[in-house]
Amino acid sequence: MSEGIRGEVDRLHIGLAEKVERWSVLVLALAVAGALAVDRGAAAGIALGGGVSLGLFGLHRALVRSWLEPTRRRRRARICFWAVWFLKWPALGLLLYASISRAWVTPLWLCVGVGLVPGVTTALAARALLIDGWRHAAARARP
């Protein structure tokens, strides 16, 4: 590929977090609706796992934004995020323990829901690679 042509992979980082969020919410809604037709425990597991995955993704996005703010507000933001960071683990543990021990969710489907954001991110990256591969192959095939 010539240096003047920017491919999908080169542009992937532009708006990636927003794309991941939008697609994850859409996939989560479709997965929960599909699972609801089959089993309530599966739908609850996907919903809880997807919510945890999206929540942690949003927390990390907010953390990055706070680190990129001007230095006056950075110290307060760091203290706040360290507090949230330490409190999220016990809260998450209690939530998962309660939901699994009381059989509100199916553990396998909970894991599927947690893998939602990484799966969407991987799919977006794979799509960009495939598009670039097709464009590169088409450019080589031209006389």
Side-chain angles (χ1 to χ4, degrees):
M1 202 171 351
S2 71
E3 291 181 28
I5 300 174
R6 293 183 51 103
E8 289 294 314
V9 173
D10 297 325
R11 291 187 298 259
L12 186 61
H13 69 284
I14 300 170
L16 179 63
E18 290 83 11
K19 287 179 191 175
V20 168
E21 229 169 31
R22 279 194 314 265
W23 280 103
S24 293
V25 168
L26 178 67
V27 169
L28 177 61
L30 292 174
V32 169
L36 196 55
V38 177
D39 180 25
R40 288 182 58 178
I46 292 172
L48 179 62
V52 165
S53 188
L54 280 168
L56 292 175
F57 182 71
L59 180 65
H60 284 97
R61 285 190 66 200
L63 179 63
V64 168
R65 270 188 252 127
S66 75
W67 280 79
L68 296 176
E69 285 182 354
T71 55
R72 279 195 342 250
R73 295 177 21 188
R74 188 182 299 171
R75 185 169 193 271
R76 189 176 347 147
R78 281 185 192 169
I79 292 169
C80 178
F81 272 108
W82 277 112
V84 169
W85 190 265
F86 285 121
L87 292 176
K88 81 172 181 180
W89 294 114
L92 187 59
L94 286 172
L95 176 68
L96 293 175
Y97 175 76
S99 63
I100 291 173
S101 67
R102 296 194 173 120
W104 293 337
V105 300
T106 306
L108 175 66
W109 291 107
L110 176 71
C111 294
V112 169
V114 168
L116 185 97
V117 171
V120 168
T121 306
T122 302
L124 287 171
R127 177 187 169 273
L129 285 170
L130 287 172
I131 289 172
D132 277 355
W134 289 331
R135 286 181 183 162
H136 188 62
R140 279 188 295 170
R142 289 187 198 136

